[in-house]
């Protein structure tokens, strides 16, 4: 992928952009294998490659400049906005909406937040695109002051972008290095964005998490589903389930499936999918994954875990080790924390693994590992 911003050193977020893609993929596979260590009984499946460009389904655009001449992209070392509306990581359909959004910033007089002066209102525009090219837009603001102006001009924006189905405001009053705050104000009647993955409808609410690369996420869910179906467990937990991607893919009339997620927004989304699909033996519950497992009266036959970068932690690892769980499918975005977690459950041996390139042009990746009780 050729990028004028990388070549001009305006943006170096794609740290591997100068390397051929095949070389990137091989290096990631080698790194992951090195971190997990030599394991004679571990079978590595061929890596799941991604498109090299146009693969991102979401954009986190820092808003810089002025209301009348905003930049959508990043800030440089001096805090000046660098416009990345033409970034090659975004598909053309997503790129096409950015000029419309920039014009709306001026129309609604949304002053970009100045980091150095700690003044202004609009911090980010967060845009997510579904496989059907529908959009969710979130304005991350410092306060509610501009909300009335956004509401006033929103009908014009919806006419200009008819694919825009969900719009909200997120309030982030603090000056700190996070993308969003706790409070969300919905501005449209529609509250969810439908993401169809492998023929299964997942629903995103404004504060729900979904993988950045829809095509590779689909491959991730298919591989986990295949491993589950091969083993045919009667009971399964999906811990850190998010909007229910793994749980819904692994649903079966002969299987009890429970998804646990700390985000109430994500559980509401997963429940909507479950209800629409008529899955009577699938349930979702708001809760901490570790607390749920440790406090459960009995264990399932198989557990899927998809934790954040820090991993599942020692307490959940020790519980899995001492439990009657026969198989664990571990989806990790951080091989180092995965390797550390494996030490806490030595009886659960890695048997199969696959690297999935969720983040081309960077050193990041996802790895899926099947563990079986020795």
């Amino acid at each position: 992928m050729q990028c004028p911003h990388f070549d001009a050193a305006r943006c170096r977020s794609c740290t591997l952009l100068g390397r051929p893609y095949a070389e990137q993929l091989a290096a990631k596979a080698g790194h992951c294998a090195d971190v997990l260590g030599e394991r004679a009984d571990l079978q590595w499946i061929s890596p799941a490659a991604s498109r090299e460009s146009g693969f991102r389904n979401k954009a986190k655009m820092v808003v810089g400049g002025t209301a009348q001449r905003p930049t959508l992209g990043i800030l440089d070392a001096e805090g000046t906005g660098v416009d990345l509306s033409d970034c090659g990581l975004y598909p053309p359909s997503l790129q096409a909406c950015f000029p419309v959004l920039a014009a709306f910033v001026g129309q609604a007089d949304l002053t970009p937040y100045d980091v150095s002066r700690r003044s202004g209102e609009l911090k980010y525009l967060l845009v997510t695109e579904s496989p059907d090219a529908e959009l969710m837009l979130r304005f991350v603001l410092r306060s509610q002051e501009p909300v009335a102006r956004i509401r006033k001009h929103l009908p014009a924006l919806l006419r200009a972008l008819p694919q825009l189905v969900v719009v909200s405001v997120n309030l982030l009053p603090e000056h700190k290095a996070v993308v969003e705050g706790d409070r969300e104000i919905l501005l449209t009647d529609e509250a969810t964005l439908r993401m169809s993955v492998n023929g299964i409808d997942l629903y995103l609410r404004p504060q729900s998490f979904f993988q950045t690369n829809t095509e590779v996420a689909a491959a991730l869910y298919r591989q986990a589903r295949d491993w589950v179906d091969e083993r045919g467990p009667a009971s399964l937990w999906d811990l850190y389930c998010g909007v229910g991607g793994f749980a819904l893919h692994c649903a079966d009339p002969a299987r009890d499936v429970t998804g646990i997620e700390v985000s109430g927004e994500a559980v509401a989304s997963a429940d909507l999918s479950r209800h629409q699909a008529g899955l009577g033996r699938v349930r979702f519950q708001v809760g901490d994954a570790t607390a749920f497992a440790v406090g459960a009266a009995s264990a399932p036959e198989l557990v899927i875990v998809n934790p954040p970068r820090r991993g599942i932690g020692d307490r959940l690892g020790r519980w899995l080790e001492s439990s009657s769980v026969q198989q664990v499918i571990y989806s990790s975005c951080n091989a180092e924390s995965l390797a550390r977690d494996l030490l806490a459950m030595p009886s659960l041996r890695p048997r199969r693994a696959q690297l999935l390139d969720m983040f081309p042009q960077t050193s990041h990746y996802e790895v899926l590992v099947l563990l079986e009780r020795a």
Side-chain angles (χ1 to χ4, degrees):
M1 185 182 86
Q2 193 70 27
C3 175
H5 304 292
F6 184 87
D7 293 342
R10 289 189 294 269
C11 175
R12 289 301 178 98
S13 300
C14 293
T15 54
L16 301 184
L17 191 59
R19 302 178 68 178
Y21 181 64
E23 186 179 313
Q24 293 182 31
L25 198 59
K28 292 181 185 185
H31 175 265
C32 189
D34 288 345
V35 172
L36 295 189
E38 187 68 31
R39 298 176 184 270
D41 51 355
L42 174 59
Q43 175 192 357
W44 282 94
I45 299 170
S46 298
S50 169
R51 285 184 289 160
E52 296 181 45
S53 62
F55 59 85
R56 286 189 66 95
N57 58 29
K58 65 180 72 172
K60 182 190 75 175
M61 308 300 273
V62 182
V63 184
T66 65
Q68 298 308 313
R69 299 189 66 181
T71 60
L72 307 183
I74 60 173
L75 301 179
D76 65 17
E78 285 73 42
T80 302
V82 177
D83 195 88
L84 299 178
S85 297
D86 59 345
C87 172
L89 301 185
Y90 304 123
S93 54
L94 197 51
Q95 288 185 17
C97 79
F98 296 142
V100 180
L101 296 178
F104 181 82
V105 170
Q107 185 179 24
D109 194 23
L110 304 177
T111 306
Y113 183 67
D114 188 309
V115 175
S116 61
R117 297 179 180 178
R118 302 192 180 190
S119 63
E121 285 291 340
L122 180 58
K123 296 185 174 183
Y124 298 96
L125 293 179
L126 307 180
V127 189
T128 303
E129 183 179 51
S130 77
D132 298 322
E134 293 184 328
L135 298 175
M136 175 189 292
L137 168 64
R138 303 170 67 203
F139 296 89
V140 181
L141 302 174
R142 191 174 67 157
S143 77
Q144 280 190 249
E145 187 273 329
V147 172
R149 297 196 300 279
I150 294 175
R151 288 187 187 275
K152 175 183 176 181
H153 296 285
L154 184 56
L157 179 61
L158 295 175
R159 289 192 297 271
L161 289 176
Q163 67 270 42
L164 191 55
V165 296
V166 182
V167 181
S168 68
V169 163
N170 179 272
L171 297 181
L172 179 59
E174 299 88 357
H175 179 84
K176 57 183 180 182
V178 296
V179 177
E180 62 185 68
D182 295 329
R183 187 180 173 197
E184 200 86 17
I185 303 171
L186 190 65
L187 302 181
T188 50
D189 293 335
E190 186 60 61
T192 60
L193 181 70
R194 183 174 65 90
M195 305 286 288
S196 183
V197 181
N198 297 320
I200 295 174
D201 287 342
L202 306 177
Y203 290 91
L204 300 188
R205 291 172 181 258
Q207 291 182 303
S208 299
F209 169 79
F210 189 77
Q211 297 283 5
T212 300
N213 190 324
T214 305
E215 292 175 2
V216 177
L220 176 73
Y221 293 140
R222 289 195 302 268
Q223 184 61 77
R225 179 189 61 197
D226 290 348
W227 286 345
V228 169
D229 287 347
E230 284 176 11
R231 279 136 192 87
S235 55
L236 179 153
W237 289 351
D238 179 6
L239 303 181
Y240 313 91
C241 71
V243 296
F246 285 111
L248 294 163
H249 276 78
C250 296
D252 185 275
R255 180 177 301 141
D256 290 319
V257 177
T258 300
I260 303 298
E261 168 60 45
V262 72
S263 166
E265 286 282 286
V267 168
S269 301
D271 259 332
L272 177 59
S273 297
R274 176 196 60 79
H275 175 74
Q276 290 196 348
L279 301 175
R281 298 190 67 172
V282 177
R283 71 184 184 98
F284 295 98
Q285 178 179 324
V286 177
D288 175 79
T290 300
F292 172 82
V294 171
S298 60
E301 294 177 23
L302 187 148
V303 172
I304 298 174
V305 294
N306 183 26
R309 288 189 62 80
R310 65 177 181 273
I312 64 172
D314 186 62
R315 190 180 180 207
L316 181 54
R318 285 188 285 105
W319 180 86
L320 286 166
E321 170 67 16
S322 63
S323 73
S324 61
V325 172
Q326 294 302 299
Q327 292 101 15
V328 173
I329 295 177
Y330 195 133
S331 180
S332 171
C333 61
N334 182 359
E336 281 79 9
S337 61
L338 167 62
R340 186 170 60 248
D341 288 337
L342 292 178
L343 296 176
M345 37 186 180
S347 296
L348 289 159
R349 305 285 181 81
R351 300 300 190 192
R352 299 187 195 175
Q354 183 181 31
L355 181 137
L356 299 104
D357 195 13
M358 200 75 70
F359 314 100
Q361 317 302 345
T362 77
S363 59
H364 300 291
Y365 54 81
E366 194 88 9
V367 59
L368 191 70
V369 182
L370 170 65
L371 314 174
E372 293 189 315
R373 181 79 58 185

